[in-house]
Amino acid sequence: MSAQNVVYLDNNATTRVAPEVLSAMLPFFSERYGNPSSMHSFGGGVGREMREARESLAGLLGCGADEIIFTSCGTESDNTAIRSALTAQPEKRHIVTTRVEHPAVLSLCKFLERSQGYRVTYLGVDAQGRLDMQELTDSLTDDTAIISVMWANNETGVLFPVPEIATLAKSRGVMMHTDAVQAVGKVPINLGELDVDMLSLSGHKLHAPKGVGALFVRRKLPYRPYLIGGHQEHGKRAGTENTTGIIALGAAAKAAKAHLPAENTVVRALRDRLENALLAAVPDSRLNGHATERLPNTSNISFKYIEGEAILLLLDQLGIAASSGSACTSGSLEPSHVLRAMGVPFTFAHGSIRFSLSRYTTDADVDYVVKNVPGIIETLRTISPYKQGLADPLDPKKRECGS
Ligand SMILES: *Cc1c(COP(=O)(O)O)cnc(C)c1O
């Protein structure tokens, strides 16, 4: 299926490269192939463009250009931040994070816990997906090396109070990292006014291509590089730079800054129309996540009694691209760890669909989804075994649920 005839509502998975981003980056694939570390002006010119890109990104985040490290992706930024905090403070052996993080943080923490002997606190969330600040406060000890808490949840869009958490972390002398991959470009961020020490972002989630990301590291923060080698990125991340990707990320940051205020209202209005129409038209449906403390582009809706995967297949046949919250990995029927942490009932958690919009989403896209989804749900429900009163294999009382 080509981009022309897909209704793309999976922007939290990845985004279209913006046309202005593509045109900015193309010359760096062809004529402008110099290495920014070279002594000659052919390479040096590329270095100058890279500095501009760094400044554009710093402009979006409200930080200094010298506080930006370009990386290969959001995952690398997350891994670098957490490992740096641990390596820089070898005496501290405790990590605080949440149960609803992206695997880029969660799987790393589980690895550090199981294989490296770190103690990890996984904070829970309430039914709306919100953190309990008291639980967070109580979890901190003199042994805590880092708090790593995402800014916006990729599945539900729920926002955590990162500014407040960062202030708390600073007052307790604990480093604070935030995975802001879903937040950057979607909510205003001004690192100049925050106590956040490190922040991760990823190009392909904000209309730059895949393969480039960045990590903000506050000036003077003790830092240990993850990749060791050459002197690139002020000695903080070795390896010849992804010049094309970096130029693209700079252009995407500039565009995000320009679009952010309008997107906040336009995309939110489209999202609300889609969400309200579906919740009204489909009985036994519910919103997952807090109604307002949420990204403007994300709507996670559960349709009781059916499997998200079945909905996705029928949506796909109609040219609608969305995501399911119940990753049926390796044949298991585990609903998403995020929805489980929120205590979403199993009969709902399995039928969850994430619609994530972007500045390229149109009124016609929303109309098309609103017109087609209720019929899909009705069709699936007529064949759903759960609806017909058969044993519910997803009932937690009847089956053990792994962690
Ligand atoms: C996509 C995503 C990541 C991973 O970013 P990559 O660039 O794909 O490695 C990390 N955290 C969140 C919240 C994400 O949505």
Side-chain angles (χ1 to χ4, degrees):
M1 183 155 309
S2 77
Q4 276 74 42
N5 46 27
V6 66
V7 171
Y8 188 76
L9 297 176
D10 203 10
N11 286 280
N12 288 9
T14 199
T15 58
R16 162 197 296 245
V17 173
E20 65 268 39
V21 170
L22 183 65
S23 59
M25 72 189 283
L26 280 177
F28 296 85
F29 274 124
S30 47
E31 308 92 65
R32 306 200 60 186
Y33 56 83
N35 186 327
S37 296
S38 297
M39 292 302 290
H40 45 71
S41 53
F42 183 64
V46 176
R48 258 194 311 283
E49 303 269 0
M50 254 178 44
R51 271 196 291 285
E52 256 174 57
R54 202 182 298 280
E55 267 156 29
S56 299
L57 184 55
L60 177 65
L61 301 175
C63 66
D66 59 316
E67 296 175 301
I68 301 278
I69 301 169
F70 287 113
T71 65
S72 68
C73 59
T75 302
E76 184 192 323
S77 300
D78 285 342
N79 275 249
T80 302
I82 293 170
R83 285 180 180 276
S84 167
L86 300 176
T87 315
Q89 312 167 92
E91 71 290 356
K92 297 190 177 180
R93 306 286 300 172
H94 178 225
I95 302 165
V96 175
T97 186
T98 80
R99 287 176 64 193
V100 298
E101 296 300 308
H102 187 275
V105 168
L106 208 50
S107 299
L108 173 66
C109 287
K110 289 197 171 145
F111 166 80
L112 291 166
E113 184 179 29
R114 284 173 192 162
S115 312
Q116 315 278 303
Y118 286 93
R119 192 166 70 83
V120 182
T121 300
Y122 301 94
L123 301 168
V125 293
D126 70 9
Q128 274 76 48
R130 290 173 302 182
L131 274 186
D132 179 345
M133 283 300 287
Q134 193 58 49
E135 189 191 357
L136 171 58
T137 307
D138 294 345
S139 73
L140 301 177
T141 73
D142 291 342
D143 195 39
T144 310
I146 184 169
I147 303 174
S148 180
V149 169
M150 70 205 310
W151 197 310
N153 188 276
N154 45 304
E155 292 188 27
T156 60
V158 171
L159 298 164
F160 283 155
V162 165
E164 202 184 320
I165 296 167
T167 304
L168 170 69
K170 188 177 182 186
S171 76
R172 298 288 298 267
V174 178
M175 279 190 199
M176 157 80 198
H177 164 252
T178 182
D179 174 341
V181 170
Q182 291 294 344
V184 173
K186 294 179 191 152
V187 294
I189 292 177
N190 186 353
L191 288 167
E193 293 175 350
L194 300 179
D195 294 316
V196 168
D197 291 312
M198 293 184 278
L199 176 146
S200 301
L201 63 99
S202 174
H204 76 101
K205 303 281 174 79
L206 73 147
H207 302 292
K210 293 144 193 77
V212 65
L215 176 64
F216 156 82
V217 179
R218 189 168 292 287
R219 214 170 284 140
K220 300 200 176 98
L221 186 81
Y223 175 84
R224 299 290 178 275
Y226 188 35
L227 292 186
I228 296 170
H231 57 267
Q232 293 91 351
E233 297 297 300
H234 353 284
K236 292 191 161 120
R237 198 267 189 187
T240 300
E241 301 88 339
N242 173 4
T243 52
T244 323
I246 290 169
I247 301 298
L249 186 46
K254 217 182 224 173
K257 190 170 181 180
H259 285 286
L260 205 151
E263 263 184 58
N264 217 312
T265 43
V266 177
V267 176
R268 187 187 300 274
L270 284 170
R271 190 273 314 269
D272 287 348
R273 188 159 75 79
L274 178 136
E275 183 172 294
N276 293 333
L278 291 183
L279 290 173
V282 182
D284 282 326
S285 58
R286 55 168 271 171
L287 173 69
N288 297 314
H290 195 270
T292 54
E293 287 167 34
R294 188 162 48 122
L295 290 173
N297 83 316
T298 308
S299 184
N300 189 312
I301 301 178
S302 274
F303 304 99
K304 199 176 183 184
Y305 301 125
I306 42 182
E307 292 289 334
E309 283 72 18
I311 306 171
L312 285 187
L313 284 177
L314 296 192
L315 289 176
D316 190 46
Q317 285 172 10
L318 291 167
I320 300 168
S323 262
S324 144
S326 53
C328 251
T329 45
S330 61
S332 81
L333 284 164
E334 291 300 322
S336 118
H337 67 289
V338 176
L339 300 186
R340 254 172 33 209
M342 291 162 62
V344 175
F346 273 61
T347 44
F348 274 106
H350 279 272
S352 90
I353 297 290
R354 176 188 70 190
F355 300 101
S356 47
L357 289 63
S358 80
R359 74 176 78 121
Y360 299 110
T361 305
T362 64
D363 266 310
D365 291 343
V366 171
D367 291 342
Y368 186 68
V369 172
V370 168
K371 185 171 134 240
N372 284 290
V373 169
I376 289 179
I377 304 301
E378 206 178 311
T379 305
L380 288 171
R381 279 187 181 159
T382 60
I383 55 170
S384 164
Y386 318 131
K387 185 82 186 270
Q388 290 158 16
L390 301 177
D392 181 353
L394 311 176
D395 186 334
K397 289 191 220 67
K398 299 193 182 81
R399 69 182 267 293
E400 270 303 301
C401 197
S403 69

